[in-house]
Amino acid sequence: MARRQVEEHKWWTLTAVCVATFMLLIDITIVNVALPDISKSLHSTFSDLQWVIDAYALGLAALLLTWGSTSDRLGRRFIFVVGLGIFSAASLCCALSTSPLMLNLARAVQGVGGAAMFATSLALLASAFQGRERGTAVGIWGATIGAAVAIGPLVGGVLTESVGWESIFYINIPIGIGAIYIALTKVAESKDPNAGPTDWLGLVSFSVSLFLLIFALVRGNPEGWGSTLIVSFLVGAGVLMLLFVIVESRVRYPMFDLALFRVPTFTGACIAAFALSASMFSLFLYLTLYIQNGLGYSPLQAGLRFLPLSLLSFFVAPIAGRLSARVPIRALMGSGMALVGVAILLMRGLTASSGWTALLAGFIVAGIGVALVNAPLASTAVSVVPPERAGMGSGINSTFRQVGIATGTAGLGALFQHLLSSRAEGPLARVPAEALAQGRPPIPGAAAHHAYLALFTDALNDLFLVAAIVAFAGAALSFALIRQRDFAAVQAGAPPAAASATEEPEVEAA
């Protein structure tokens, strides 16, 4: 009887973890197609729309590692349930928001709850499953991540168009309550008796540094890049990040173990995670504004047009996972990032007369490239570090993903506003950059609409070029840093960093 209960509980654990993961990840993709409707309803500026994405990403990035170490000490199920509660309550606040500020603050709190859920998911699965079953459970969890990315835009379009943008947040509440019930009644608690204390100084310096940087990037154009506010925020971000590095190199229980970066493959995986998010994923805001506001498609129609990218990514990912057993990881990740760069370049060349099909070739190639990177990325980050550091390795890699989305969205937005304001002519020259960046023609009339689309697509083409450069840089560094011998060193029980210090440099065939 006891054994049967254990068997039931572990599959209930998988259910709770998958439901929570699906909910927190779909909230990243589902929001994109609702942004134009949110903008109209709350009278949001372009900066407000950037913060809808960035506030959530910042909450995730800042607290992933802290929640992970805290859960080791206080209990993984406990922190998982706390995260579900925070996320569900914040979702209600998002749905009830009456101003952009209220929405963005609630989105930040959502990110805090999401970080707690994401940080404990793998640990709960690892404690519930053993041997081959653990691999099956992690595989199902990974498929859940892929499904959330694949159907997010379509679900967002259906809910936004049929019910309203608030529904994309309301739907989290019953799901969250159900997951909390399952976790409290069916999931076993687990702790690490040797866990260290929370790295508060590291947490504060890292989080505040990221916030200051993103704020400066988002507000740089409206406030002026030479203004006291923006300059002080950029300097403060740099000083606090330097303090963070110093703290993490000296504290006994760091939340961010810098020694892991001595392993070239781990560094390459983190760079790939950042580059993928800062290039392709950071373009989604601008693509959505173009497809919905610029071309006039509804949220559902926009979600359908993103399907070639998301569905290809979903179906190619398992193939890429199987290939990783036969093809060098750096070949998969390097070629995947290169395909992402090619895909973004294929989207360039938009004009005022272009239709959405001008993006189709890029969407198809991007779906394949994203899958080739995503499939081996998480496993690479944990396979080249000591087993006792696997949780932190995964957390650091996930942190790089979220930092990439936050900085990429903000950085591209700053460039976008600058390009629009510097190239606007005639009546458009008198329109603020914030209004131009919305993707919605600010002046009525067919001629004005055509002139505006020409301006908007011209600036968007430059964003594509910058994002492609980031993707190609990620491809080059993936090829250069990811090495098969780092995997072999861990399998042999030797630290990869130590192995690389004693071996002569070698040239490996991709």
Side-chain angles (χ1 to χ4, degrees):
M1 184 71 179
R3 184 172 180 179
R4 195 172 116 188
Q5 283 185 328
V6 170
E7 285 291 316
E8 288 179 356
H9 281 198
K10 67 184 180 184
W11 294 110
W12 277 114
T13 300
L14 177 61
T15 300
V17 167
C18 286
V19 167
T21 302
F22 185 85
M23 183 171 63
L24 77 91
L25 287 178
I26 204 172
D27 232 57
I28 298 174
T29 55
I30 200 173
V31 167
N32 282 314
V33 294
L35 287 175
D37 279 45
I38 291 173
S39 175
K40 294 174 189 174
S41 175
L42 301 183
H43 307 291
S44 306
T45 65
F46 179 67
S47 296
D48 294 330
L49 294 183
Q50 288 177 280
W51 276 115
V52 173
I53 297 170
D54 280 345
Y56 186 73
L58 276 174
L60 272 168
L63 288 166
L64 258 174
L65 293 167
T66 300
W67 277 127
S69 61
T70 304
S71 70
D72 289 341
R73 191 170 66 257
L74 299 182
R76 287 139 190 167
R77 185 187 68 172
F78 172 71
I79 295 300
F80 180 73
V81 170
V82 167
L84 280 166
I86 293 173
F87 190 91
S88 301
S91 295
L92 177 61
C93 292
C94 286
L96 296 175
S97 294
T98 55
S99 70
L101 178 61
M102 181 178 175
L103 174 62
N104 292 331
L105 289 175
R107 284 284 286 170
V109 178
Q110 256 194 327
V112 172
M117 294 150 58
F118 204 62
T120 52
S121 293
L122 275 177
L124 286 171
L125 293 182
S127 63
F129 292 88
Q130 304 296 324
R132 184 175 296 179
E133 282 189 340
R134 180 181 291 179
T136 301
V138 173
I140 294 172
W141 179 73
T144 302
I145 293 175
V149 173
I151 71 170
L154 185 59
V155 172
V158 170
L159 289 175
T160 301
E161 193 166 325
S162 60
V163 184
W165 66 265
E166 297 89 348
S167 61
I168 67 174
F169 299 112
Y170 277 130
I171 196 172
N172 293 332
I173 300 167
I175 296 174
I177 292 172
I180 289 172
Y181 173 78
I182 293 172
L184 289 176
T185 58
K186 303 292 186 180
V187 177
E189 184 62 282
S190 64
K191 299 180 182 180
D192 179 2
N194 301 314
T198 300
D199 177 15
W200 290 111
L201 188 54
L203 167 64
V204 172
S205 57
F206 182 71
S207 304
V208 177
S209 173
L210 273 182
F211 172 77
L212 293 179
L213 174 63
I214 301 305
F215 184 92
L217 290 174
V218 170
R219 297 299 303 170
N221 282 301
E223 301 290 341
W225 290 101
S227 67
T228 303
L229 178 67
I230 299 303
V231 171
S232 61
F233 272 38
L234 288 173
V235 171
V239 170
L240 285 172
M241 189 54 69
L242 178 61
L243 174 63
F244 172 73
V245 171
I246 294 172
V247 168
E248 298 308 285
S249 63
R250 298 189 178 188
V251 72
R252 184 177 178 185
Y253 295 101
M255 75 170 201
F256 205 110
D257 189 354
L258 300 176
L260 296 179
F261 291 103
R262 294 175 188 165
V263 183
T265 299
F266 181 79
T267 304
C270 289
I271 290 173
F274 177 89
L276 181 62
S277 294
S279 56
M280 190 66 241
F281 294 155
S282 295
L283 285 172
F284 283 173
L285 166 62
Y286 312 99
L287 289 168
T288 301
L289 292 176
Y290 171 66
I291 291 173
Q292 289 187 235
N293 288 350
L295 299 182
Y297 287 105
S298 69
L300 176 57
Q301 291 170 332
L304 287 170
R305 280 152 182 79
F306 277 109
L307 278 182
L309 191 160
S310 53
L311 286 181
L312 264 174
S313 177
F314 178 68
F315 286 114
V316 173
I319 300 172
R322 287 194 292 271
L323 283 175
S324 63
R326 302 180 191 133
V327 180
I329 294 296
R330 75 174 183 181
L332 281 177
M333 290 175 60
S335 59
M337 285 304 309
L339 282 176
V340 170
V342 170
I344 295 171
L345 290 181
L346 286 173
M347 297 180 204
R348 287 193 82 218
L350 294 176
T351 67
S353 304
S354 296
W356 82 271
T357 52
L359 301 168
L360 184 57
F363 280 179
I364 291 171
V365 177
I368 298 171
V370 167
L372 290 179
V373 178
N374 265 338
L377 189 56
S379 61
T380 298
V382 300
S383 298
V384 295
V385 300
E388 65 273 12
R389 285 309 212 196
M392 180 178 287
S394 176
I396 290 175
N397 190 264
S398 297
T399 299
F400 268 81
R401 284 177 183 264
Q402 300 306 323
V403 171
I405 290 176
T407 56
T409 300
L412 290 177
L415 174 62
F416 196 47
Q417 290 183 75
H418 171 72
L419 292 172
L420 290 171
S421 61
S422 63
R423 295 175 182 176
E425 298 176 352
L428 292 176
R430 296 189 293 272
V431 179
E434 286 262 340
L436 291 173
Q438 292 271 19
R440 190 182 303 111
I443 301 173
H449 178 79
H450 189 273
Y452 174 72
L453 271 183
L455 172 67
F456 191 90
T457 53
D458 188 45
L460 189 56
N461 286 331
D462 284 348
L463 286 198
F464 288 148
L465 179 60
V466 172
I469 291 171
V470 173
F472 284 128
L477 290 170
S478 295
F479 275 119
L481 293 172
I482 296 175
R483 313 175 310 175
Q484 200 61 34
R485 65 177 183 264
D486 288 341
F487 295 92
V490 170
Q491 291 169 4
S500 65
T502 58
E503 292 175 2
E504 291 295 320
E506 62 181 60
V507 178
E508 299 177 70

